[in-house]
Amino acid sequence: MSLVSAAVITGVGSYLPSRLVRNTDEPLSLLDTDDEWIRSRTGIRTRHWVEPGESTGDLAVQAGRRALRSAEITSVDLVVLSTTTPDHHSPGTAPWVAAQLGLGNVAAFDVSAACSGFTYALAAGDAWIKAGMAERVLVIGAEALSTITDPSDRGTAVVFADGAGAVVLQRGCAEEPGALLAVRLGSDGTQKDLAIVAAGGSRWPEERQQAARGERCLRMQGPQMFSHAVRRMTEVSRLVLESVGWQPDVVEAFIGHQANQRILDKVADLVGVPGPARLGNVRDVGNTSSASIPLVLDEVVREKSVGAGARTLLTAFGAGAVWGSVAMTWPDIRPPS
Ligand code: COA
């Protein structure tokens, strides 16, 4: 039997900053909102935020270290870090994270694809391995979204949160548990204003003026994002399932980007994913953008509630607009110690 070469997930790790914020805690309790609204409209009860001075890079280092430990390796050929909140406008955060992890002069770059970032970063790692450019890749999704959230905006402050998750990809074969079997990505830049940090980039003078008005926070048109998210996550999930020839009812593990429980339920219903396959933690961690999928992955690996080799579907949608889905099998990895 000839084995098909593939990138295989062999390690996973995650990290949440220690500051736990309940719906009833400040500064959320100062807003014109309440616990009942937040729970019923988003599914969120708690989230974690960084402390002043704690950065995306700091979270990424912690998650990356745990993923390397779980894969039982100390070196990789590439670090890909997906984030919307890099430590600096320039340089990228990935090289600093690689250095903190003692990975030497390894190739390292950031991916900017908002809440779909983890699927894009996985696709990059997968492609490097398939092209023979890397044997082992550390893929991290890390965010400190609280640093770009306006605490007085009830439409975003209750939703966005901080955290990091990471996986190790290694060259292996498609028959192994943890193999990435298909990836589908897409974008629609005409929708860029749906969720945007308008100021601070190179598009000026308008955005310089916005910067002066304090437009360095993420602004979101929530209901529009909601309907685009449902439509695109459903479409791209169907596409990736078609690529691997799976009917939706054979999916044993489904992890959608943890934006809002109502979005996740709608997508899973429309795609036809069985109830027991639906995994998530938006209730406890909120919307952590590119960290959200690996945070769930790590949590479920720790719980050991999904068996190695289970048919797994990942799907995400984010600002840009961008979207992505991955079909894979559940990895056979031990929880990081
Ligand atoms: N507390 C109380 N009321 C709130 C509120 C809050 N935190 N946020 C909004 N509202 C109000 C609105 O002002 C609006 O009031 P109005 O009817 O008097 O105008 C009403 O509740 C409904 O607002 P709406 O924005 O339609 O609520 P929603 O049910 O769509 O929930 C989000 C808002 C942000 C939770 C939701 O739109 C969402 O999750 N959007 C998608 C996010 C997403 O896709 N992210 C993926 C990539 S980041």
Side-chain angles (χ1 to χ4, degrees), residues 4-337:
V4 179
S5 153
V8 176
I9 295 181
T10 59
V12 63
S14 68
Y15 182 77
L16 290 166
S18 58
R19 183 180 172 200
L20 180 77
V21 181
R22 297 176 204 85
N23 293 343
T24 47
D25 289 339
E26 283 192 22
L28 303 182
S29 59
L30 305 175
L31 296 171
D32 182 16
T33 187
D34 56 70
D35 183 40
E36 165 55 25
W37 191 97
I38 303 170
R39 284 185 193 214
S40 62
R41 303 303 292 170
T42 70
I44 301 168
R45 293 175 183 216
T46 61
R47 77 282 291 139
H48 293 252
W49 286 351
V50 291
E51 297 285 0
E54 195 175 25
S55 77
T56 292
D58 296 331
L59 308 184
V61 168
Q62 298 291 343
R65 185 170 288 132
R66 290 174 184 187
L68 292 170
R69 204 182 297 148
S70 120
E72 298 179 333
I73 61 170
T74 53
S75 69
V76 293
D77 308 304
L78 170 68
V79 176
V80 188
L81 170 62
S82 165
T83 187
T84 314
T85 51
D87 283 6
H88 307 284
H89 205 65
S90 180
T93 305
W96 183 82
V97 170
Q100 296 304 304
L101 291 171
L103 296 172
N105 299 128
V106 66
F109 63 88
D110 290 6
V111 163
S112 174
C115 297
S116 298
F118 188 72
T119 57
Y120 272 71
L122 263 189
D126 181 43
W128 273 55
I129 286 175
K130 283 192 179 136
M133 289 169 65
E135 288 287 320
R136 310 204 278 209
V137 180
L138 177 61
V139 178
I140 309 174
E143 303 286 0
L145 289 168
S146 63
T147 64
I148 59 163
T149 304
D150 175 355
S152 67
D153 175 11
R154 66 180 182 174
T156 53
V158 303
V159 176
F160 290 112
D162 307 337
V167 299
V168 170
L169 288 178
Q170 298 198 46
R171 178 188 300 281
C173 64
E175 291 73 10
E176 282 179 72
L180 306 188
L181 302 176
V183 181
R184 290 289 176 271
L185 306 172
S187 77
D188 177 4
T190 66
Q191 303 300 328
K192 79 163 183 165
D193 293 331
L194 289 185
I196 188 168
V197 181
S202 61
R203 184 167 291 283
W204 63 283
E206 295 91 333
E207 288 172 5
R208 269 196 192 170
Q209 288 158 4
Q210 288 164 337
R213 295 200 305 268
E215 281 296 316
R216 287 188 183 271
C217 290
L218 181 60
R219 302 289 172 203
M220 179 168 73
Q221 297 174 34
Q224 289 86 343
M225 277 297 271
F226 191 109
S227 50
H228 280 273
V230 170
R231 174 181 160 203
R232 295 305 189 177
M233 284 163 87
T234 302
E235 283 173 1
V236 74
S237 296
R238 287 180 178 149
L239 270 181
V240 88
L241 289 178
E242 211 176 284
S243 314
V244 287
W246 295 348
Q247 291 302 314
D249 59 358
V250 305
V251 171
E252 295 159 283
F254 168 72
I255 307 177
H257 163 51
Q258 305 290 296
N260 181 320
Q261 191 58 51
R262 291 188 298 128
I263 294 177
L264 291 162
D265 293 343
K266 277 207 159 73
V267 172
D269 286 347
L270 287 166
V271 175
V273 174
R278 303 175 186 187
L279 308 172
N281 60 5
V282 69
R283 192 181 90 142
D284 305 320
V285 304
N287 180 343
T288 60
S289 191
S290 51
S292 85
I293 288 176
L295 273 167
V296 178
L297 203 51
D298 186 38
E299 192 176 304
V300 179
V301 162
R302 285 165 188 277
E303 290 167 2
K304 302 187 182 125
S305 52
V306 176
R311 294 185 189 91
T312 301
L313 172 65
L314 313 180
T315 193
F317 174 86
V322 282
W323 53 88
S325 269
V326 177
M328 55 179 270
T329 50
W330 195 262
D332 185 11
I333 43 184
R334 67 180 64 183
S337 49

